[in-house]
Amino acid sequence: GIQVEQSPPDLILQEGANSTLRCNFSDSVNNLQWFHQNPWGQLINLFYIPSGTKQNGRLSATTVATERYSLLYISSSQTTDSGVYFCAVERNSGTYKYIFGTGTRLKVLA
Amino acid sequence: NAGVTQTPKFQVLKTGQSMTLQCAQDMNHNSMYWYRQDPGMGLRLIYYSASEGTTDKGEVPNGYNVSRLNKREFSLRLESAAPSQTSVYFCASSEMGGDGYTFGSGTRLTVV
């Protein structure tokens, strides 16, 4: 099956710093999403981004499907950005079988 | 508030007991999903329902059954719980194709 690898596995930042999280996938995909799981366990959808670039406030994401990777950029990080960031991919359109990576655990220090 | 509601939030079962996890969404989404999350891992898809009246297996379906009761509700049943099913279970819903993916707050299940 398709493999989804995220890097780095752990990241510690000072408040105000910028960061880039990476998601590599081993085969072509039809859909890709980024999620944030906060320290209380709640999962929030950040981006639905099968290709191209999207921005939402301090967060932006880019997916280059032909090269099988996606990047999540966090600018001017805040302590509320702490948690785990997951990317998830759907191999075949219409199957709805999203495969999750193991995540990047981010801690932002005040 | 709009969203995905899961019940119960916590549950402890003895090995061999059965239970049903309930999930309801009020966003008029067509697709619904059940995932499990084990410590240090990402989420793994158990079952999904692309639309009302259909269900299909995900990555880890063994030991589980599901029912798409109507467009709003999608339940997950453990017929004979095993310690390996100790996990946090998340229900989610989305538009077809995955846009608007919304998760419930999770059910923490412990099987002793």
Side-chain angles (χ1 to χ4, degrees):
Chain A
I2 191 169
Q3 303 298 312
V4 182
E5 296 181 352
Q6 292 186 243
S7 60
D10 297 281
L11 186 59
I12 299 176
L13 299 174
Q14 285 296 136
E15 201 167 26
N18 303 328
S19 63
T20 301
L21 282 58
R22 188 177 181 100
C23 173
N24 291 333
F25 38 96
S26 60
D27 208 341
S28 59
V29 300
N30 278 296
N31 287 304
L32 185 145
Q33 306 206 44
W34 283 96
F35 297 91
H36 175 225
Q37 187 169 36
N38 68 24
W40 298 271
Q42 182 65 38
L43 282 150
I44 303 296
N45 180 271
L46 298 175
F47 293 104
Y48 174 75
I49 185 166
S51 63
T53 298
K54 290 186 177 180
Q55 181 155 7
N56 184 2
R58 296 181 296 103
L59 302 181
S60 63
T62 295
T63 296
V64 184
T66 54
E67 296 187 22
R68 301 180 184 172
Y69 72 90
S70 182
L71 302 174
L72 178 69
Y73 305 97
I74 304 174
S75 64
S76 304
S77 58
Q78 300 176 358
T79 55
T80 53
D81 295 330
S82 296
V84 183
Y85 290 81
F86 292 104
C87 76
V89 302
E90 183 196 19
R91 173 69 178 89
N92 295 308
S93 181
T95 64
Y96 306 99
K97 292 183 178 181
Y98 275 86
I99 305 299
F100 278 70
T102 53
T104 291
R105 186 173 299 274
L106 173 65
K107 186 168 186 177
V108 181
L109 304 176
Chain B
N1 293 334
V4 178
T5 302
Q6 289 184 236
T7 55
K9 294 189 184 303
F10 301 94
Q11 183 72 47
V12 178
L13 290 179
K14 294 182 178 179
T15 298
Q17 286 185 318
S18 62
M19 78 163 295
T20 299
L21 281 64
Q22 306 287 353
C23 176
Q25 53 94 7
D26 59 5
M27 294 171 288
N28 203 35
H29 284 162
N30 286 299
S31 305
M32 298 186 74
Y33 316 83
W34 277 104
Y35 287 89
R36 61 177 287 174
Q37 184 178 29
D38 300 305
M41 298 182 67
L43 282 75
R44 291 184 292 169
L45 182 64
I46 305 171
Y47 270 93
Y48 65 97
S49 171
S51 61
E52 186 179 357
T54 68
T55 62
D56 207 346
K57 296 177 181 179
E59 299 172 81
V60 288
N62 291 344
Y64 306 95
N65 286 301
V66 291
S67 296
R68 183 75 182 266
L69 305 171
N70 48 55
K71 190 172 185 180
R72 290 187 63 248
E73 298 172 286
F74 188 39
S75 63
L76 178 72
R77 183 161 178 85
L78 287 70
E79 291 291 352
S80 179
S84 60
Q85 294 178 305
T86 294
S87 189
V88 180
Y89 291 83
F90 288 96
C91 176
S93 70
S94 77
E95 297 295 338
M96 279 191 172
D99 200 4
Y101 227 92
T102 303
F103 280 92
S105 57
T107 295
R108 186 173 296 275
L109 174 67
T110 302
V111 183
V112 298

